[in-house]
Amino acid sequence: MQVRQNTPQELEVLKIDIDIPWDIFKRLKYTWVATRRAILSTLGYELADWIIHRSQNGKVHAWITVEVRKPLSVWEKAELQFLLGDDHNRSKLNFLRAEKTPEKFDSFNILFSKKVVKSERRKGGDN
Amino acid sequence: MSITFPLIDASTGYEIIAFKRRGRWHWYLRHPRTKRFIRRIRELTIKTTVTVEYSKEMARKRNPLYVDLTVATVLRDHFEPRDLLGVEDRLIDIAHRELAANFSSGVPSISEVVGVEYFAFKKVEEVYPETHVEIIWWHREGEHASETEYTTRA
């Protein structure tokens, strides 16, 4: 009889910024989640949870929780986020950060809770 | 009285909700899809990010520069929703002050305040009015990259 070994699993949250309008995305939401599950499964990971919000500027923010056997390196996180459909410009900066300042990667791997609307006061700098 | 605020925990995407009971505000973390309460929030971290993208085209003969600067602080013990806006504004002021101090007085004017993150836990040790500043910067064309981290006061 084959005994299946239980490997301890850890959870990692990946942050995906999707640069298309919410109204278009919401029609594809469940297909998008299903395809993310397929991508993760191909790479040997399992999707544990997903949360999708309409961002303040009318686009899409997604938090994808993944089961992993060992914590992901910053480079693996940057790669996975890119492969899961993260905005390319954000991915480019994340790869740069992963390469140049890896220990600060998590501090700057950001999906904002709130975008700051530029006011005249802030635009010109008020220091 | 119960009010749901459209706040989102930046690390998980969970909802941060607040309600007033017996004159005090209580904060909770909730799953947005299942509406399951996850836990009570006793400490909330607010983090503001400011960036500078001084591209090669903009810089011409000067040094192109990329800067990420964050200022973070922790609110604790029965903070109110109205405290948040005041603290956010203060963090932006500090970000501009620190950009001027670390680079030059002209840098805040080319910076952009890109956003605010809320975290339903203590992400830094500094409790308001103390703030935690993190800066990473690099020259776009060069190999040089640098980072710094320190505490300052609002």
Side-chain angles (χ1 to χ4, degrees), chain A residues 15 49-51 53 63 97 103-104 107-108 113-115 121-122 126-127, chain B residues 8 10 13 31 33 47 68 70 88-89 93 96 116 118 134 147 149:
Chain A
K15 300 172 184 178
D49 191 17
W50 54 272
I51 290 172
H53 285 291
W63 285 259
R97 288 174 187 131
E103 53 295 326
K104 290 273 184 282
S107 291
F108 294 97
S113 306
K114 188 166 99 179
K115 285 290 250 192
R121 188 182 81 87
R122 284 171 189 164
D126 57 337
N127 55 315
Chain B
I8 293 167
H31 195 291
R33 213 170 55 251
K47 189 169 120 182
D68 274 328
T70 69
E88 283 167 23
D89 270 356
D93 291 344
H96 285 147
V116 177
Y118 305 107
E134 264 186 87
E147 54 185 78
E149 228 175 300

PDB file of all heavy atoms in Angstrom, chain A residues 15 49-51 53 63 97 103-104 107-108 113-115 121-122 126-127, chain B residues 8 10 13 31 33 47 68 70 88-89 93 96 116 118 134 147 149:
ATOM      1  N   LYS A  15       0.267  39.196  -5.305  1.00  0.00           N
ATOM      2  CA  LYS A  15      -0.564  40.365  -5.594  1.00  0.00           C
ATOM      3  C   LYS A  15      -0.533  40.656  -7.086  1.00  0.00           C
ATOM      4  O   LYS A  15       0.541  40.842  -7.659  1.00  0.00           O
ATOM      5  CB  LYS A  15      -0.043  41.563  -4.815  1.00  0.00           C
ATOM      6  CG  LYS A  15      -0.048  41.348  -3.318  1.00  0.00           C
ATOM      7  CD  LYS A  15       0.657  42.471  -2.619  1.00  0.00           C
ATOM      8  CE  LYS A  15       0.741  42.223  -1.134  1.00  0.00           C
ATOM      9  NZ  LYS A  15       1.471  43.287  -0.449  1.00  0.00           N
ATOM     10  N   ASP A  49      -6.796  30.301  -2.036  1.00  0.00           N
ATOM     11  CA  ASP A  49      -7.863  31.295  -1.894  1.00  0.00           C
ATOM     12  C   ASP A  49      -7.609  32.408  -2.899  1.00  0.00           C
ATOM     13  O   ASP A  49      -6.483  32.579  -3.378  1.00  0.00           O
ATOM     14  CB  ASP A  49      -7.855  31.864  -0.463  1.00  0.00           C
ATOM     15  CG  ASP A  49      -9.104  32.703  -0.152  1.00  0.00           C
ATOM     16  OD1 ASP A  49     -10.114  32.589  -0.886  1.00  0.00           O
ATOM     17  OD2 ASP A  49      -9.063  33.467   0.828  1.00  0.00           O
ATOM     18  N   TRP A  50      -8.640  33.131  -3.219  1.00  0.00           N
ATOM     19  CA  TRP A  50      -8.484  34.293  -4.095  1.00  0.00           C
ATOM     20  C   TRP A  50      -9.448  35.380  -3.664  1.00  0.00           C
ATOM     21  O   TRP A  50     -10.553  35.115  -3.218  1.00  0.00           O
ATOM     22  CB  TRP A  50      -8.712  33.919  -5.565  1.00  0.00           C
ATOM     23  CG  TRP A  50     -10.032  33.243  -5.811  1.00  0.00           C
ATOM     24  CD1 TRP A  50     -10.283  31.911  -5.734  1.00  0.00           C
ATOM     25  CD2 TRP A  50     -11.285  33.863  -6.128  1.00  0.00           C
ATOM     26  NE1 TRP A  50     -11.606  31.658  -5.986  1.00  0.00           N
ATOM     27  CE2 TRP A  50     -12.245  32.845  -6.243  1.00  0.00           C
ATOM     28  CE3 TRP A  50     -11.690  35.185  -6.340  1.00  0.00           C
ATOM     29  CZ2 TRP A  50     -13.580  33.099  -6.550  1.00  0.00           C
ATOM     30  CZ3 TRP A  50     -13.010  35.447  -6.645  1.00  0.00           C
ATOM     31  CH2 TRP A  50     -13.945  34.406  -6.757  1.00  0.00           C
ATOM     32  N   ILE A  51      -8.966  36.609  -3.782  1.00  0.00           N
ATOM     33  CA  ILE A  51      -9.807  37.773  -3.482  1.00  0.00           C
ATOM     34  C   ILE A  51      -9.589  38.769  -4.603  1.00  0.00           C
ATOM     35  O   ILE A  51      -8.446  39.057  -4.980  1.00  0.00           O
ATOM     36  CB  ILE A  51      -9.426  38.389  -2.121  1.00  0.00           C
ATOM     37  CG1 ILE A  51      -9.841  37.447  -0.990  1.00  0.00           C
ATOM     38  CG2 ILE A  51     -10.073  39.756  -1.940  1.00  0.00           C
ATOM     39  CD1 ILE A  51      -9.342  37.852   0.371  1.00  0.00           C
ATOM     40  N   HIS A  53     -10.749  42.620  -5.991  1.00  0.00           N
ATOM     41  CA  HIS A  53     -11.430  43.885  -5.710  1.00  0.00           C
ATOM     42  C   HIS A  53     -11.353  44.802  -6.920  1.00  0.00           C
ATOM     43  O   HIS A  53     -10.377  44.765  -7.668  1.00  0.00           O
ATOM     44  CB  HIS A  53     -10.736  44.623  -4.551  1.00  0.00           C
ATOM     45  CG  HIS A  53     -10.997  44.052  -3.208  1.00  0.00           C
ATOM     46  ND1 HIS A  53     -12.221  44.120  -2.607  1.00  0.00           N
ATOM     47  CD2 HIS A  53     -10.179  43.413  -2.334  1.00  0.00           C
ATOM     48  CE1 HIS A  53     -12.149  43.552  -1.411  1.00  0.00           C
ATOM     49  NE2 HIS A  53     -10.926  43.105  -1.230  1.00  0.00           N
ATOM     50  N   TRP A  63      -5.683  39.222  -5.044  1.00  0.00           N
ATOM     51  CA  TRP A  63      -4.767  38.584  -4.079  1.00  0.00           C
ATOM     52  C   TRP A  63      -4.952  37.085  -4.231  1.00  0.00           C
ATOM     53  O   TRP A  63      -6.051  36.564  -3.995  1.00  0.00           O
ATOM     54  CB  TRP A  63      -5.105  38.999  -2.651  1.00  0.00           C
ATOM     55  CG  TRP A  63      -4.693  40.381  -2.272  1.00  0.00           C
ATOM     56  CD1 TRP A  63      -3.598  40.733  -1.541  1.00  0.00           C
ATOM     57  CD2 TRP A  63      -5.369  41.619  -2.559  1.00  0.00           C
ATOM     58  NE1 TRP A  63      -3.550  42.093  -1.366  1.00  0.00           N
ATOM     59  CE2 TRP A  63      -4.618  42.664  -1.986  1.00  0.00           C
ATOM     60  CE3 TRP A  63      -6.531  41.953  -3.273  1.00  0.00           C
ATOM     61  CZ2 TRP A  63      -4.994  44.003  -2.084  1.00  0.00           C
ATOM     62  CZ3 TRP A  63      -6.901  43.287  -3.372  1.00  0.00           C
ATOM     63  CH2 TRP A  63      -6.141  44.282  -2.791  1.00  0.00           C
ATOM     64  N   ARG A  97      13.500  45.265  -8.775  1.00  0.00           N
ATOM     65  CA  ARG A  97      13.644  45.271  -7.312  1.00  0.00           C
ATOM     66  C   ARG A  97      14.187  43.937  -6.813  1.00  0.00           C
ATOM     67  O   ARG A  97      15.033  43.897  -5.928  1.00  0.00           O
ATOM     68  CB  ARG A  97      12.297  45.550  -6.645  1.00  0.00           C
ATOM     69  CG  ARG A  97      11.850  46.968  -6.793  1.00  0.00           C
ATOM     70  CD  ARG A  97      10.454  47.149  -6.248  1.00  0.00           C
ATOM     71  NE  ARG A  97       9.969  48.487  -6.559  1.00  0.00           N
ATOM     72  CZ  ARG A  97       8.790  48.752  -7.098  1.00  0.00           C
ATOM     73  NH1 ARG A  97       7.954  47.779  -7.377  1.00  0.00           N
ATOM     74  NH2 ARG A  97       8.432  49.989  -7.355  1.00  0.00           N
ATOM     75  N   GLU A 103      16.017  42.252  -0.525  1.00  0.00           N
ATOM     76  CA  GLU A 103      15.510  42.235   0.862  1.00  0.00           C
ATOM     77  C   GLU A 103      14.393  43.265   1.074  1.00  0.00           C
ATOM     78  O   GLU A 103      13.678  43.211   2.060  1.00  0.00           O
ATOM     79  CB  GLU A 103      16.634  42.398   1.902  1.00  0.00           C
ATOM     80  CG  GLU A 103      17.571  43.578   1.770  1.00  0.00           C
ATOM     81  CD  GLU A 103      18.430  43.536   0.515  1.00  0.00           C
ATOM     82  OE1 GLU A 103      18.843  42.454   0.049  1.00  0.00           O
ATOM     83  OE2 GLU A 103      18.678  44.625  -0.019  1.00  0.00           O
ATOM     84  N   LYS A 104      14.254  44.170   0.134  1.00  0.00           N
ATOM     85  CA  LYS A 104      13.182  45.174   0.242  1.00  0.00           C
ATOM     86  C   LYS A 104      12.012  44.827  -0.682  1.00  0.00           C
ATOM     87  O   LYS A 104      11.072  45.597  -0.813  1.00  0.00           O
ATOM     88  CB  LYS A 104      13.731  46.555  -0.164  1.00  0.00           C
ATOM     89  CG  LYS A 104      14.708  47.136   0.819  1.00  0.00           C
ATOM     90  CD  LYS A 104      13.965  47.900   1.898  1.00  0.00           C
ATOM     91  CE  LYS A 104      14.902  48.582   2.850  1.00  0.00           C
ATOM     92  NZ  LYS A 104      15.478  47.702   3.832  1.00  0.00           N
ATOM     93  N   SER A 107       8.449  45.006   0.752  1.00  0.00           N
ATOM     94  CA  SER A 107       8.014  46.360   1.119  1.00  0.00           C
ATOM     95  C   SER A 107       7.456  47.107  -0.079  1.00  0.00           C
ATOM     96  O   SER A 107       6.647  48.008   0.067  1.00  0.00           O
ATOM     97  CB  SER A 107       9.193  47.170   1.651  1.00  0.00           C
ATOM     98  OG  SER A 107       9.589  46.683   2.869  1.00  0.00           O
ATOM     99  N   PHE A 108       7.959  46.742  -1.268  1.00  0.00           N
ATOM    100  CA  PHE A 108       7.567  47.517  -2.438  1.00  0.00           C
ATOM    101  C   PHE A 108       6.737  46.712  -3.438  1.00  0.00           C
ATOM    102  O   PHE A 108       6.465  47.169  -4.535  1.00  0.00           O
ATOM    103  CB  PHE A 108       8.814  48.128  -3.093  1.00  0.00           C
ATOM    104  CG  PHE A 108       9.459  49.157  -2.201  1.00  0.00           C
ATOM    105  CD1 PHE A 108      10.530  48.833  -1.389  1.00  0.00           C
ATOM    106  CD2 PHE A 108       8.953  50.439  -2.137  1.00  0.00           C
ATOM    107  CE1 PHE A 108      11.103  49.767  -0.548  1.00  0.00           C
ATOM    108  CE2 PHE A 108       9.514  51.388  -1.298  1.00  0.00           C
ATOM    109  CZ  PHE A 108      10.595  51.059  -0.498  1.00  0.00           C
ATOM    110  N   SER A 113      -4.119  50.098  -1.077  1.00  0.00           N
ATOM    111  CA  SER A 113      -5.469  50.084  -0.523  1.00  0.00           C
ATOM    112  C   SER A 113      -6.217  51.290  -1.062  1.00  0.00           C
ATOM    113  O   SER A 113      -7.411  51.271  -1.267  1.00  0.00           O
ATOM    114  CB  SER A 113      -5.419  50.187   1.004  1.00  0.00           C
ATOM    115  OG  SER A 113      -4.596  49.198   1.537  1.00  0.00           O
ATOM    116  N   LYS A 114      -5.457  52.343  -1.275  1.00  0.00           N
ATOM    117  CA  LYS A 114      -6.068  53.586  -1.729  1.00  0.00           C
ATOM    118  C   LYS A 114      -5.068  54.334  -2.592  1.00  0.00           C
ATOM    119  O   LYS A 114      -3.911  54.471  -2.217  1.00  0.00           O
ATOM    120  CB  LYS A 114      -6.422  54.434  -0.501  1.00  0.00           C
ATOM    121  CG  LYS A 114      -7.216  55.657  -0.807  1.00  0.00           C
ATOM    122  CD  LYS A 114      -7.794  56.216   0.471  1.00  0.00           C
ATOM    123  CE  LYS A 114      -6.967  57.348   0.992  1.00  0.00           C
ATOM    124  NZ  LYS A 114      -7.506  57.933   2.216  1.00  0.00           N
ATOM    125  N   LYS A 115      -5.503  54.772  -3.764  1.00  0.00           N
ATOM    126  CA  LYS A 115      -4.651  55.621  -4.588  1.00  0.00           C
ATOM    127  C   LYS A 115      -4.822  57.037  -4.091  1.00  0.00           C
ATOM    128  O   LYS A 115      -5.930  57.458  -3.750  1.00  0.00           O
ATOM    129  CB  LYS A 115      -5.084  55.559  -6.057  1.00  0.00           C
ATOM    130  CG  LYS A 115      -4.701  54.285  -6.749  1.00  0.00           C
ATOM    131  CD  LYS A 115      -3.234  54.183  -6.952  1.00  0.00           C
ATOM    132  CE  LYS A 115      -2.858  54.323  -8.406  1.00  0.00           C
ATOM    133  NZ  LYS A 115      -1.451  53.944  -8.632  1.00  0.00           N
ATOM    134  N   ARG A 121      -1.880  70.877  -3.854  1.00  0.00           N
ATOM    135  CA  ARG A 121      -0.946  71.000  -2.727  1.00  0.00           C
ATOM    136  C   ARG A 121       0.155  69.952  -2.832  1.00  0.00           C
ATOM    137  O   ARG A 121       1.320  70.220  -2.642  1.00  0.00           O
ATOM    138  CB  ARG A 121      -1.717  70.802  -1.424  1.00  0.00           C
ATOM    139  CG  ARG A 121      -0.921  71.077  -0.193  1.00  0.00           C
ATOM    140  CD  ARG A 121      -1.756  70.805   1.029  1.00  0.00           C
ATOM    141  NE  ARG A 121      -1.801  69.395   1.351  1.00  0.00           N
ATOM    142  CZ  ARG A 121      -0.906  68.772   2.106  1.00  0.00           C
ATOM    143  NH1 ARG A 121       0.108  69.436   2.599  1.00  0.00           N
ATOM    144  NH2 ARG A 121      -1.017  67.494   2.381  1.00  0.00           N
ATOM    145  N   ARG A 122      -0.267  68.714  -3.202  1.00  0.00           N
ATOM    146  CA  ARG A 122       0.698  67.623  -3.223  1.00  0.00           C
ATOM    147  C   ARG A 122       1.503  67.589  -4.496  1.00  0.00           C
ATOM    148  O   ARG A 122       2.628  67.155  -4.525  1.00  0.00           O
ATOM    149  CB  ARG A 122      -0.031  66.296  -3.057  1.00  0.00           C
ATOM    150  CG  ARG A 122      -0.446  66.109  -1.626  1.00  0.00           C
ATOM    151  CD  ARG A 122      -1.328  64.923  -1.513  1.00  0.00           C
ATOM    152  NE  ARG A 122      -1.897  64.876  -0.175  1.00  0.00           N
ATOM    153  CZ  ARG A 122      -2.928  64.151   0.140  1.00  0.00           C
ATOM    154  NH1 ARG A 122      -3.516  63.412  -0.761  1.00  0.00           N
ATOM    155  NH2 ARG A 122      -3.397  64.143   1.358  1.00  0.00           N
ATOM    156  N   ASP A 126       5.128  69.973  -0.910  1.00  0.00           N
ATOM    157  CA  ASP A 126       4.779  70.997   0.076  1.00  0.00           C
ATOM    158  C   ASP A 126       5.740  70.997   1.243  1.00  0.00           C
ATOM    159  O   ASP A 126       5.416  71.356   2.325  1.00  0.00           O
ATOM    160  CB  ASP A 126       3.355  70.765   0.560  1.00  0.00           C
ATOM    161  CG  ASP A 126       3.196  69.387   1.121  1.00  0.00           C
ATOM    162  OD1 ASP A 126       3.990  68.507   0.767  1.00  0.00           O
ATOM    163  OD2 ASP A 126       2.303  69.195   1.928  1.00  0.00           O
ATOM    164  N   ASN A 127       6.933  70.530   1.004  1.00  0.00           N
ATOM    165  CA  ASN A 127       7.868  70.458   2.120  1.00  0.00           C
ATOM    166  C   ASN A 127       8.368  71.839   2.493  1.00  0.00           C
ATOM    167  O   ASN A 127       8.466  72.713   1.682  1.00  0.00           O
ATOM    168  CB  ASN A 127       9.050  69.576   1.747  1.00  0.00           C
ATOM    169  CG  ASN A 127       9.709  70.046   0.501  1.00  0.00           C
ATOM    170  OD1 ASN A 127       9.032  70.373  -0.479  1.00  0.00           O
ATOM    171  ND2 ASN A 127      11.005  70.109   0.489  1.00  0.00           N
TER     172      ASN A 127
ATOM    173  N   ILE B   8      -9.108  48.171   2.576  1.00  0.00           N
ATOM    174  CA  ILE B   8      -8.665  46.836   2.183  1.00  0.00           C
ATOM    175  C   ILE B   8      -7.296  46.577   2.783  1.00  0.00           C
ATOM    176  O   ILE B   8      -6.405  47.431   2.706  1.00  0.00           O
ATOM    177  CB  ILE B   8      -8.625  46.732   0.648  1.00  0.00           C
ATOM    178  CG1 ILE B   8     -10.057  46.809   0.125  1.00  0.00           C
ATOM    179  CG2 ILE B   8      -7.955  45.445   0.182  1.00  0.00           C
ATOM    180  CD1 ILE B   8     -10.181  47.019  -1.335  1.00  0.00           C
ATOM    181  N   ALA B  10      -3.825  45.504   2.678  1.00  0.00           N
ATOM    182  CA  ALA B  10      -2.959  45.403   1.496  1.00  0.00           C
ATOM    183  C   ALA B  10      -2.219  44.075   1.413  1.00  0.00           C
ATOM    184  O   ALA B  10      -1.784  43.685   0.335  1.00  0.00           O
ATOM    185  CB  ALA B  10      -1.953  46.548   1.503  1.00  0.00           C
ATOM    186  N   GLY B  13      -5.897  41.380   1.029  1.00  0.00           N
ATOM    187  CA  GLY B  13      -7.111  41.728   0.285  1.00  0.00           C
ATOM    188  C   GLY B  13      -8.367  41.623   1.133  1.00  0.00           C
ATOM    189  O   GLY B  13      -9.460  41.913   0.661  1.00  0.00           O
ATOM    190  N   HIS B  31     -13.394  38.465   5.564  1.00  0.00           N
ATOM    191  CA  HIS B  31     -13.196  37.965   4.196  1.00  0.00           C
ATOM    192  C   HIS B  31     -14.275  38.573   3.301  1.00  0.00           C
ATOM    193  O   HIS B  31     -15.465  38.474   3.621  1.00  0.00           O
ATOM    194  CB  HIS B  31     -13.298  36.433   4.172  1.00  0.00           C
ATOM    195  CG  HIS B  31     -12.759  35.827   2.916  1.00  0.00           C
ATOM    196  ND1 HIS B  31     -13.377  35.983   1.693  1.00  0.00           N
ATOM    197  CD2 HIS B  31     -11.651  35.080   2.671  1.00  0.00           C
ATOM    198  CE1 HIS B  31     -12.676  35.352   0.755  1.00  0.00           C
ATOM    199  NE2 HIS B  31     -11.620  34.799   1.332  1.00  0.00           N
ATOM    200  N   ARG B  33     -15.528  37.784   0.405  1.00  0.00           N
ATOM    201  CA  ARG B  33     -16.433  36.900  -0.343  1.00  0.00           C
ATOM    202  C   ARG B  33     -17.312  36.089   0.611  1.00  0.00           C
ATOM    203  O   ARG B  33     -18.515  36.022   0.450  1.00  0.00           O
ATOM    204  CB  ARG B  33     -15.609  35.975  -1.245  1.00  0.00           C
ATOM    205  CG  ARG B  33     -16.285  35.630  -2.532  1.00  0.00           C
ATOM    206  CD  ARG B  33     -15.390  34.913  -3.534  1.00  0.00           C
ATOM    207  NE  ARG B  33     -14.766  33.717  -3.014  1.00  0.00           N
ATOM    208  CZ  ARG B  33     -13.475  33.597  -2.738  1.00  0.00           C
ATOM    209  NH1 ARG B  33     -12.657  34.613  -2.930  1.00  0.00           N
ATOM    210  NH2 ARG B  33     -12.979  32.472  -2.273  1.00  0.00           N
ATOM    211  N   LYS B  47       0.754  52.970   5.574  1.00  0.00           N
ATOM    212  CA  LYS B  47       2.028  53.154   4.857  1.00  0.00           C
ATOM    213  C   LYS B  47       1.774  53.936   3.567  1.00  0.00           C
ATOM    214  O   LYS B  47       0.905  53.565   2.776  1.00  0.00           O
ATOM    215  CB  LYS B  47       2.614  51.776   4.538  1.00  0.00           C
ATOM    216  CG  LYS B  47       4.024  51.824   4.002  1.00  0.00           C
ATOM    217  CD  LYS B  47       4.609  50.429   3.962  1.00  0.00           C
ATOM    218  CE  LYS B  47       4.985  50.054   2.568  1.00  0.00           C
ATOM    219  NZ  LYS B  47       5.506  48.710   2.437  1.00  0.00           N
ATOM    220  N   ASP B  68      12.072  54.891  -4.550  1.00  0.00           N
ATOM    221  CA  ASP B  68      10.864  54.425  -3.862  1.00  0.00           C
ATOM    222  C   ASP B  68      11.032  54.817  -2.409  1.00  0.00           C
ATOM    223  O   ASP B  68      12.026  54.440  -1.792  1.00  0.00           O
ATOM    224  CB  ASP B  68      10.770  52.886  -3.897  1.00  0.00           C
ATOM    225  CG  ASP B  68      10.122  52.364  -5.152  1.00  0.00           C
ATOM    226  OD1 ASP B  68       9.246  53.052  -5.698  1.00  0.00           O
ATOM    227  OD2 ASP B  68      10.498  51.262  -5.570  1.00  0.00           O
ATOM    228  N   THR B  70       8.943  54.961   1.327  1.00  0.00           N
ATOM    229  CA  THR B  70       7.712  54.697   2.078  1.00  0.00           C
ATOM    230  C   THR B  70       7.845  55.260   3.488  1.00  0.00           C
ATOM    231  O   THR B  70       8.931  55.258   4.069  1.00  0.00           O
ATOM    232  CB  THR B  70       7.380  53.190   2.197  1.00  0.00           C
ATOM    233  OG1 THR B  70       8.333  52.567   3.038  1.00  0.00           O
ATOM    234  CG2 THR B  70       7.349  52.500   0.848  1.00  0.00           C
ATOM    235  N   GLU B  88      -2.558  60.113   7.300  1.00  0.00           N
ATOM    236  CA  GLU B  88      -2.090  59.962   5.912  1.00  0.00           C
ATOM    237  C   GLU B  88      -1.460  61.256   5.400  1.00  0.00           C
ATOM    238  O   GLU B  88      -0.395  61.244   4.784  1.00  0.00           O
ATOM    239  CB  GLU B  88      -3.267  59.602   4.997  1.00  0.00           C
ATOM    240  CG  GLU B  88      -3.676  58.158   5.102  1.00  0.00           C
ATOM    241  CD  GLU B  88      -5.021  57.911   4.450  1.00  0.00           C
ATOM    242  OE1 GLU B  88      -5.433  58.693   3.566  1.00  0.00           O
ATOM    243  OE2 GLU B  88      -5.677  56.930   4.847  1.00  0.00           O
ATOM    244  N   ASP B  89      -2.131  62.379   5.634  1.00  0.00           N
ATOM    245  CA  ASP B  89      -1.591  63.670   5.188  1.00  0.00           C
ATOM    246  C   ASP B  89      -0.240  63.951   5.830  1.00  0.00           C
ATOM    247  O   ASP B  89       0.678  64.439   5.179  1.00  0.00           O
ATOM    248  CB  ASP B  89      -2.568  64.803   5.533  1.00  0.00           C
ATOM    249  CG  ASP B  89      -3.558  65.035   4.412  1.00  0.00           C
ATOM    250  OD1 ASP B  89      -3.425  64.375   3.357  1.00  0.00           O
ATOM    251  OD2 ASP B  89      -4.474  65.861   4.586  1.00  0.00           O
ATOM    252  N   ASP B  93       3.532  64.537   4.087  1.00  0.00           N
ATOM    253  CA  ASP B  93       4.434  65.656   4.410  1.00  0.00           C
ATOM    254  C   ASP B  93       5.818  65.144   4.790  1.00  0.00           C
ATOM    255  O   ASP B  93       6.841  65.686   4.368  1.00  0.00           O
ATOM    256  CB  ASP B  93       3.869  66.482   5.580  1.00  0.00           C
ATOM    257  CG  ASP B  93       2.616  67.246   5.188  1.00  0.00           C
ATOM    258  OD1 ASP B  93       2.357  67.376   3.977  1.00  0.00           O
ATOM    259  OD2 ASP B  93       1.887  67.695   6.090  1.00  0.00           O
ATOM    260  N   HIS B  96       7.813  63.963   1.716  1.00  0.00           N
ATOM    261  CA  HIS B  96       8.411  65.080   0.970  1.00  0.00           C
ATOM    262  C   HIS B  96       9.619  65.654   1.715  1.00  0.00           C
ATOM    263  O   HIS B  96      10.643  65.957   1.109  1.00  0.00           O
ATOM    264  CB  HIS B  96       7.364  66.171   0.732  1.00  0.00           C
ATOM    265  CG  HIS B  96       6.374  65.793  -0.336  1.00  0.00           C
ATOM    266  ND1 HIS B  96       5.067  66.188  -0.311  1.00  0.00           N
ATOM    267  CD2 HIS B  96       6.507  65.036  -1.450  1.00  0.00           C
ATOM    268  CE1 HIS B  96       4.444  65.704  -1.369  1.00  0.00           C
ATOM    269  NE2 HIS B  96       5.292  64.986  -2.069  1.00  0.00           N
ATOM    270  N   VAL B 116      -1.657  54.644  -0.684  1.00  0.00           N
ATOM    271  CA  VAL B 116      -1.633  54.345   0.748  1.00  0.00           C
ATOM    272  C   VAL B 116      -1.993  52.874   0.926  1.00  0.00           C
ATOM    273  O   VAL B 116      -2.883  52.366   0.232  1.00  0.00           O
ATOM    274  CB  VAL B 116      -2.672  55.218   1.493  1.00  0.00           C
ATOM    275  CG1 VAL B 116      -2.717  54.871   2.971  1.00  0.00           C
ATOM    276  CG2 VAL B 116      -2.368  56.689   1.305  1.00  0.00           C
ATOM    277  N   TYR B 118      -3.029  49.931   3.901  1.00  0.00           N
ATOM    278  CA  TYR B 118      -3.414  49.649   5.284  1.00  0.00           C
ATOM    279  C   TYR B 118      -3.078  48.191   5.567  1.00  0.00           C
ATOM    280  O   TYR B 118      -3.322  47.328   4.719  1.00  0.00           O
ATOM    281  CB  TYR B 118      -4.918  49.843   5.490  1.00  0.00           C
ATOM    282  CG  TYR B 118      -5.424  51.200   5.086  1.00  0.00           C
ATOM    283  CD1 TYR B 118      -6.179  51.354   3.930  1.00  0.00           C
ATOM    284  CD2 TYR B 118      -5.139  52.324   5.855  1.00  0.00           C
ATOM    285  CE1 TYR B 118      -6.647  52.604   3.546  1.00  0.00           C
ATOM    286  CE2 TYR B 118      -5.606  53.569   5.477  1.00  0.00           C
ATOM    287  CZ  TYR B 118      -6.355  53.703   4.322  1.00  0.00           C
ATOM    288  OH  TYR B 118      -6.814  54.933   3.943  1.00  0.00           O
ATOM    289  N   GLU B 134      11.555  54.151   4.759  1.00  0.00           N
ATOM    290  CA  GLU B 134      12.386  53.232   3.963  1.00  0.00           C
ATOM    291  C   GLU B 134      12.605  53.866   2.605  1.00  0.00           C
ATOM    292  O   GLU B 134      11.655  54.334   1.975  1.00  0.00           O
ATOM    293  CB  GLU B 134      11.644  51.914   3.735  1.00  0.00           C
ATOM    294  CG  GLU B 134      11.991  50.818   4.711  1.00  0.00           C
ATOM    295  CD  GLU B 134      11.337  49.515   4.320  1.00  0.00           C
ATOM    296  OE1 GLU B 134      11.924  48.773   3.529  1.00  0.00           O
ATOM    297  OE2 GLU B 134      10.220  49.261   4.805  1.00  0.00           O
ATOM    298  N   GLU B 147      19.993  51.602  -0.352  1.00  0.00           N
ATOM    299  CA  GLU B 147      18.781  51.541   0.455  1.00  0.00           C
ATOM    300  C   GLU B 147      19.080  52.019   1.851  1.00  0.00           C
ATOM    301  O   GLU B 147      20.207  51.902   2.342  1.00  0.00           O
ATOM    302  CB  GLU B 147      18.248  50.114   0.490  1.00  0.00           C
ATOM    303  CG  GLU B 147      19.286  49.120   0.956  1.00  0.00           C
ATOM    304  CD  GLU B 147      18.765  47.703   0.854  1.00  0.00           C
ATOM    305  OE1 GLU B 147      18.756  47.185  -0.259  1.00  0.00           O
ATOM    306  OE2 GLU B 147      18.398  47.165   1.899  1.00  0.00           O
ATOM    307  N   GLU B 149      17.040  52.879   5.905  1.00  0.00           N
ATOM    308  CA  GLU B 149      15.864  52.668   6.745  1.00  0.00           C
ATOM    309  C   GLU B 149      16.095  53.406   8.054  1.00  0.00           C
ATOM    310  O   GLU B 149      17.181  53.279   8.635  1.00  0.00           O
ATOM    311  CB  GLU B 149      15.765  51.174   7.062  1.00  0.00           C
ATOM    312  CG  GLU B 149      14.411  50.581   6.859  1.00  0.00           C
ATOM    313  CD  GLU B 149      14.418  49.089   7.072  1.00  0.00           C
ATOM    314  OE1 GLU B 149      15.150  48.369   6.366  1.00  0.00           O
ATOM    315  OE2 GLU B 149      13.696  48.660   7.952  1.00  0.00           O
TER     316      GLU B 149
END
